[in-house]
Amino acid sequence: MAESFPALPTADWPYLQILVRLALSLSLGLLIGMERERRGKEAGLRTFGFICLLGALGGALGTAFSLLILALVGMLTVLLNVQALRVTQGTELTTSAAMLVTCMAGILCGQGHTILPAAVMVIATALLAWKEGLAGFSMGLTESELRSALLLAILAIVIYPALPVGTVGPWNLIEPRAAWVTVILIAGIGFVNYILWKLYGARGVVFLGFLGGLVNSNFTVIELSSRVQPSSSAFVESAYRGILLATTAMVMRNACLLLILAPLALVGSLAAFVLMLLTSMALVLWSYRRRDRPSGEEAPQMKLELPFSLPLALKYGAVFLLLHIVGAVTQRQFGDMGFYFVSIIGGLMSSASAVAAAATLASQGSISPTVAGTGAVLASFTSIAFSLSFVLRKHNRALIGRLASAMVYVAVAGIIGMLVWDTVHPFMLHWIPQLEGKAG
């Protein structure tokens, strides 16, 4: 009589699919293992390759096997640290954490994920490879810089979700979340710019004008023009380039705000912004070709103030809300011309807030995207003229003459861009429906 045995559990795996998962896990393990091997660690290329491959097998087998393999890798990290302590090398906490992350990424690969484990492993490898740079940057942080970073995180992560959704108020003119997004966006641009300034330093007029213009173009113009004496030609060339670069950064920042907050509004003003940028950059390049910088002139130095603080956030928020409310009311009462007037006045206070207010009104449907784009260009014009007023106070004819001509060229380029759009826009409205009909 033949004995009967219970059938063992089996699983039919699609061969190519499992092979792809294992190959992905192996490549990711070798990526981080290569970095550890280069630093001479005990756990290197092969170890991390095996760990990620083992995690992929556990992920393919199921949850129970995944937890078992994760526990085994945890025991391996304990043995690694015990061995390191025996040879008086200290603990390998970073390598141990990398091993656990690698195992989890392998499990995700085994479960069929692709983008997520790849992104995690690339980030983990970057953290290991940038050890010196990250350590140097963190040690160089001051207490005020750290407080500003925490404040920015609180405003973005803690306060924003608590704000009410939609419009509030008797006339539905205020949208708290839209105002707060604008505050965070403008402050974030300044904070990133401050980090770049801290990493690369003030390397002459290029960084001074451009990076300073991203934070506050008027402050940069005041700082540069203050170094020019009324009857001296010293520093005129550097101040000229720096102010032009600050203007370039201001125009680029306003265009980016439109792109992020109301992309359709940028379509109508794209030609104006592009021509203004090209003109200002061409003038800067032409100034380098002149090569008339006086010998012995030192590169300008300027210490940027901390780009994010609570007063700065309140200023941007108050200006944005004021322009948003006044712009909506004047547009309802006086039409587009009323909104244009508010945009021009708003450019004197803050062109970034004026552009953000115009973009928000367009995204809410209060004004058309074309009107919002035109208002953003007008606010940029006002900011350029306001910056030039600071230069006029220095009574230096050489600088005033060159900058006045340059600003006129930039403004004319913007006006030409607006006229081009006004000419092309009707034809686009006429041809787009016909093209859609033919495609259908």
Side-chain angles (χ1 to χ4, degrees):
M1 180 177 179
E3 296 182 1
S4 60
F5 294 97
L8 296 175
T10 59
D12 295 329
W13 285 349
Y15 177 73
L16 291 179
Q17 185 178 355
I18 293 299
L19 189 62
V20 169
R21 296 181 184 181
L22 295 178
L24 176 61
S25 64
L26 179 60
S27 61
L28 295 178
L30 294 177
L31 173 65
I32 195 170
M34 190 180 303
E35 195 281 335
R36 295 286 84 188
E37 189 82 26
R38 187 180 64 85
R39 293 186 179 271
K41 300 298 182 180
E42 183 68 23
L45 191 67
R46 293 178 299 173
T47 303
F48 278 89
F50 280 129
I51 289 175
C52 203
L53 194 62
L54 189 63
L57 290 174
L61 289 171
T63 304
F65 287 94
S66 300
L67 296 176
L68 176 62
I69 290 174
L70 188 60
L72 293 176
V73 174
M75 295 175 58
L76 181 61
T77 59
V78 173
L79 294 176
L80 176 65
N81 285 277
V82 170
Q83 179 64 23
L85 289 173
R86 285 182 178 178
V87 296
T88 66
Q89 292 181 354
T91 57
E92 293 284 349
L93 296 179
T94 303
T95 303
S96 301
M99 293 168 66
L100 294 175
V101 171
T102 303
C103 182
M104 286 299 302
I107 292 173
L108 291 174
C109 290
Q111 292 176 350
H113 299 278
T114 55
I115 302 298
L116 179 59
V120 168
M121 293 302 287
V122 169
I123 294 173
T125 307
L127 289 175
L128 294 173
W130 295 342
K131 173 185 176 182
E132 291 79 7
L134 292 173
F137 179 76
S138 60
M139 293 300 294
L141 284 176
T142 63
E143 185 177 353
S144 59
E145 292 168 353
L146 183 59
R147 287 200 303 266
S148 297
L150 292 175
L151 180 59
L152 180 60
I154 291 173
L155 295 177
I157 300 174
V158 179
I159 297 180
Y160 174 76
L163 295 175
V165 180
T167 57
V168 297
W171 296 285
N172 293 326
L173 294 175
I174 301 176
E175 189 174 358
R177 288 204 170 191
W180 211 254
V181 165
T182 305
V183 171
I184 296 171
L185 183 60
I186 297 175
I189 292 174
F191 200 83
V192 171
N193 172 59
Y194 183 85
I195 294 175
L196 293 175
W197 187 275
K198 188 177 180 64
L199 290 175
Y200 298 105
R203 296 183 179 178
V205 72
V206 175
F207 280 98
L208 174 68
F210 190 79
L211 297 183
L214 287 177
V215 177
N216 192 320
S217 59
N218 291 334
F219 173 74
T220 306
V221 172
I222 294 173
E223 176 67 22
L224 289 171
S225 61
S226 64
R227 298 175 178 271
V228 179
Q229 300 300 322
S231 59
S232 174
S233 61
F235 199 71
V236 170
E237 189 66 25
S238 293
Y240 172 76
R241 293 195 193 110
I243 293 172
L244 275 180
L245 286 167
T247 302
T248 304
M250 180 271 298
V251 174
M252 184 179 298
R253 178 197 62 198
N254 292 346
C256 290
L257 288 174
L258 280 182
L259 177 63
I260 295 172
L261 298 176
L264 290 179
L266 181 60
V267 174
S269 58
L270 183 60
F273 278 115
V274 169
L275 288 179
M276 292 168 68
L277 284 173
L278 293 178
T279 303
S280 59
M281 289 189 294
L283 291 171
V284 172
L285 294 176
W286 178 255
S287 70
Y288 277 104
R289 293 189 61 183
R290 289 170 58 94
R291 300 185 181 276
D292 57 353
R293 178 171 173 172
S295 59
E297 180 181 331
E298 296 181 357
Q301 300 291 329
M302 181 180 74
K303 182 179 180 181
L304 289 178
E305 295 181 356
L306 200 62
F308 185 78
S309 61
L310 187 57
L312 184 64
L314 295 177
K315 170 193 170 184
Y316 278 129
V319 173
F320 171 83
L321 286 177
L322 177 62
L323 294 176
H324 185 275
I325 295 173
V326 175
V329 172
T330 54
Q331 201 277 335
R332 293 179 183 178
Q333 298 295 327
F334 305 102
D336 296 341
M337 296 305 297
F339 172 76
Y340 292 152
F341 176 77
V342 173
S343 298
I344 293 173
I345 300 300
L348 296 175
M349 295 184 289
S350 172
S351 64
S353 297
V355 172
T360 305
L361 288 173
S363 63
Q364 295 173 354
S366 300
I367 59 176
S368 66
T370 302
V371 173
T374 304
V377 175
L378 293 177
S380 301
F381 286 165
T382 308
S383 180
I384 293 174
F386 191 51
S387 298
L388 185 60
S389 66
F390 296 111
V391 181
L392 296 177
R393 301 175 185 176
K394 302 308 297 182
H395 303 289
N396 188 295
R397 293 184 178 181
L399 181 61
I400 292 174
R402 295 188 62 187
L403 271 179
S405 301
M407 295 305 181
V408 168
Y409 294 150
V410 175
V412 169
I415 294 173
I416 292 174
M418 296 172 65
L419 294 176
V420 168
W421 171 252
D422 289 338
T423 304
V424 175
H425 186 231
F427 292 97
M428 293 181 62
L429 294 178
H430 175 73
W431 285 103
I432 287 176
Q434 295 185 9
L435 293 176
E436 291 179 350
K438 292 181 179 180

